[in-house]
Every structure is written in structure tokens, then in C-alpha cells.
Amino acid sequence: MSLEQELYEERRRKLRRTSFFRGILAASIFFSLAGILWKGDWFASPHIASFEVSGEIFDDVNRDSIFREISENENVYGLLVRINSPGGSVVGAEGIYKGLREVGEKKPVVITIGEIGASAAYIAALAGDRIFARENSLIGSIGVVIQYPDISRLAERLGVSVEIVKSGKLKGEPNILKGMDKQVRKANEILVNDSFNWFKKLVVERRNIDTQLLNEISDGRLFTGRMAAKLGLIDEIGSKKEAMEYLQSRDSKLVNIPIKSWNIENTSTSIWGSIFGLSENSGILRKLYTRVSPTLFSVAG
């Protein structure tokens, strides 16, 4: 093949590659716009919004925005929330609770609990006007914990030490290479108890449970749906069907209108996502971060 032919073939290959990538870009833009327009139309008619809270709970500004939009959208006549979560961070639960209460000030909010709605997930459930659960759903685990790994013994065996210059004894504590001393432990107990008291206050306010009874059942234990109903932690045994019947009994406008999901997947990625294909809100990355940082948790088990 002559040099002239080789150059010609190379130009053709470059043109094909350029056309291919342009086609992908055009298709991406088209489907993105179509998705936006479809969602706009999807939420433009009267409906009951549904939202699912599943897995471990963390703070999420996107979720906060969705609750705000549900609250302000005149076409949403009510909100059905399905919870299936063992709990998570207290801050994450606080965000869901406040977001749902904001919705609840304008329209009815009903909660259904699946396999489990415990700890931080139960905090979220407290925001509902009515809570339904299966007979054998796991509910409760009222309590707070702060978790911190202690690899001080391993570090000592490996001959690893750390030198720290800090402004105060409790700054940067606890340290995974040192463990906790009495003063550090006491400081963390104060944090746990403050959030625990906030949790119990919500239960008293939202479930109208006697303080003495609450003190007896807030030792972290779990209850079945049957037990939780007798204790007043939930309202009724039931699931989506019973929840919808309750919603429709509240207002005739809620009869014969569709249910539409408002869950939106978060596709944002960090540098770690670019390298390892993990999203910014990946459970793996979340756990790696939160297990080595001072985060208050309310989790079952």
C-alpha cells in the first residue's frame, strides 16, 4: 500500500471514530432531555407520592431536596413511605424525620415497615401520621452507639507508634492507635446520652408513650410488629394495602389516583468512584469513612 493510500485510510478511521463518539454524545443528550421531560410530565398530575428508605441510613442532601419538592408540589396529595432499614447515623435519621415532618404539615404521611425498621429507621418512622408494620417486622432498638475501631494492640505488636501535637487532651480522640482512656470514654458517653435523650423525647412526643414504659423498653431490644403494636410503637398491623385504605379514609381526593415513586438514584461520583467504579454514596465508602470517624449511630444489632 502506498503512503498516500495509508494516509487516506487513517483519515477515514479518524472520521469513523469521531462520528461514533459524536453519536454517543448526541444520544446521551437526547435521553437525558427525554428523562427530564418525562419526569416533569410524570409528576404533573394529581397522585400519591411514594418513597422508599432502605439499607443503612446516612445524611443525604438529595433526599432532603426530594422531600421539600414533595411538600411544595400541589399535585402530591399524600406521601406513602416504605421503610426497610436496620438504622444508620443519627444525623441521617434526623434529616429524614425533619423532611417528612415538613411534608406532614401540608399533607398526610403514612409509613409502612417491611422486614425491619429499627434504631435510626424507627426515628424516621416516627415522622408518619400512622405507622403500619408486618406481624413479624422487627421494630425498635431504641438507643444510640458510637463505634470506633481499636487497633492499639496490633500497632504495639507491629512496633507502630504515633506522635501527636494537639491543642487539648480530647482533640482528635479517640485515636484508633491508642484506644480510649477514662476521660475520652466519658466524653463519648456524654455525646451518646445527649442523642439518646433526643431519641426518647421524639418517641414520647410522637407515640404518646409513658416515660416509665419507654425507659423499660429503650435498652436497645427489638420487638416484632405484634409486640410493637401492643406497646404503642406502631399503630396497626398491615402493609401497603392497609396504608392506602387509611390514606383514602383521610380525604376523598386520595381515592382512585395513582401512586408515583419519587425515588431518584444518585449517580454522582467522586475520585474514588472514577477509580473503583463506586458512587459517592456507596455503602462501602460510607462505612470506611464513618467507622474511623466520630459518628453517632443508631443501628440494630
Side-chain angles (χ1 to χ4, degrees):
M1 183 181 292
S2 67
L3 178 59
E4 185 177 341
Q5 287 176 315
E6 289 181 2
L7 290 173
Y8 175 72
E9 288 298 325
E10 180 63 24
R11 281 197 298 271
R12 288 186 61 188
R13 284 193 292 269
K14 286 182 178 180
L15 182 61
R16 284 197 297 268
R17 285 196 296 268
T18 301
S19 299
F20 174 74
F21 287 117
R22 283 178 178 171
I24 291 178
L25 179 60
S28 299
I29 293 172
F30 171 79
F31 285 115
S32 296
L33 290 173
I36 292 170
L37 292 172
W38 179 80
K39 279 198 173 292
D41 182 63
W42 179 245
F43 297 141
S45 58
H47 64 278
I48 295 170
S50 72
F51 192 88
E52 183 165 344
V53 177
S54 61
E56 202 163 1
I57 292 171
F58 293 96
D59 197 24
D60 187 337
V61 294
N62 293 324
R63 182 181 59 219
D64 295 343
S65 296
I66 291 171
F67 289 150
R68 196 170 301 113
E69 289 176 24
I70 290 174
S71 173
E72 296 172 355
N73 192 313
E74 295 180 354
N75 289 306
V76 177
Y77 289 0
L79 174 59
L80 180 64
V81 181
R82 184 178 187 275
I83 293 176
N84 190 22
S85 166
S89 79
V90 178
V91 171
E94 178 188 352
I96 296 177
Y97 176 83
K98 290 191 173 180
L100 292 180
R101 288 309 307 142
E102 184 179 341
V103 175
E105 290 175 1
K106 298 180 179 179
K107 51 201 75 176
V109 176
V110 178
I111 307 293
T112 66
I113 295 175
E115 282 83 0
I116 185 168
S119 301
Y122 184 63
I123 293 174
L126 290 171
D129 300 315
R130 203 155 186 86
I131 305 175
F132 294 83
R134 301 282 193 180
E135 288 191 51
N136 292 290
S137 298
L138 294 177
I139 296 156
S141 190
I142 300 170
V144 178
V145 62
I146 187 167
Q147 301 179 81
Y148 227 92
D150 179 0
I151 60 171
S152 56
R153 292 185 182 179
L154 175 61
E156 186 178 348
R157 288 184 181 181
L158 296 174
V160 177
S161 62
V162 58
E163 295 292 334
I164 302 175
V165 178
K166 54 186 180 179
S167 57
K169 178 173 173 52
L170 297 178
K171 181 65 177 176
E173 295 291 346
N175 187 308
I176 63 173
L177 295 177
K178 291 172 51 184
M180 289 188 190
D181 61 20
K182 289 183 179 179
Q183 188 176 356
V184 172
R185 183 176 294 277
K186 183 65 177 177
N188 280 279
E189 286 175 355
I190 292 171
L191 290 177
V192 168
N193 288 331
D194 185 68
S195 290
F196 183 36
N197 289 332
W198 171 79
F199 190 166
K200 290 193 292 183
K201 184 180 178 183
L202 284 184
V203 178
V204 171
E205 290 176 353
R206 297 293 299 168
R207 300 305 307 169
N208 195 28
I209 290 180
D210 179 74
T211 304
Q212 183 177 346
L213 173 61
L214 179 60
N215 288 334
E216 293 174 6
I217 64 176
S218 58
D219 57 0
R221 75 180 78 178
L222 287 164
F223 303 96
T224 64
R226 291 182 298 274
M227 297 164 68
K230 290 179 181 178
L231 291 168
L233 294 175
I234 66 170
D235 294 290
E236 293 184 45
I237 298 298
S239 56
K240 182 178 177 180
K241 175 178 176 292
E242 289 75 17
M244 284 300 302
E245 289 174 353
Y246 170 77
L247 272 175
Q248 291 167 351
S249 71
R250 291 279 303 269
D251 194 328
S252 59
K253 293 191 302 182
L254 296 169
V255 179
N256 296 325
I257 64 172
I259 301 172
K260 299 179 181 181
S261 173
W262 276 70
N263 280 86
I264 298 175
E265 293 296 327
N266 186 347
T267 57
S268 64
T269 56
S270 63
I271 185 172
W272 300 107
S274 301
I275 297 172
F276 299 109
L278 297 172
S279 72
E280 198 171 67
N281 289 326
S282 164
I284 296 172
L285 293 181
R286 289 271 196 176
K287 289 178 181 179
L288 283 174
Y289 174 74
T290 54
R291 294 304 188 265
V292 293
S293 63
T295 302
L296 288 163
F297 272 80
S298 185
V299 288

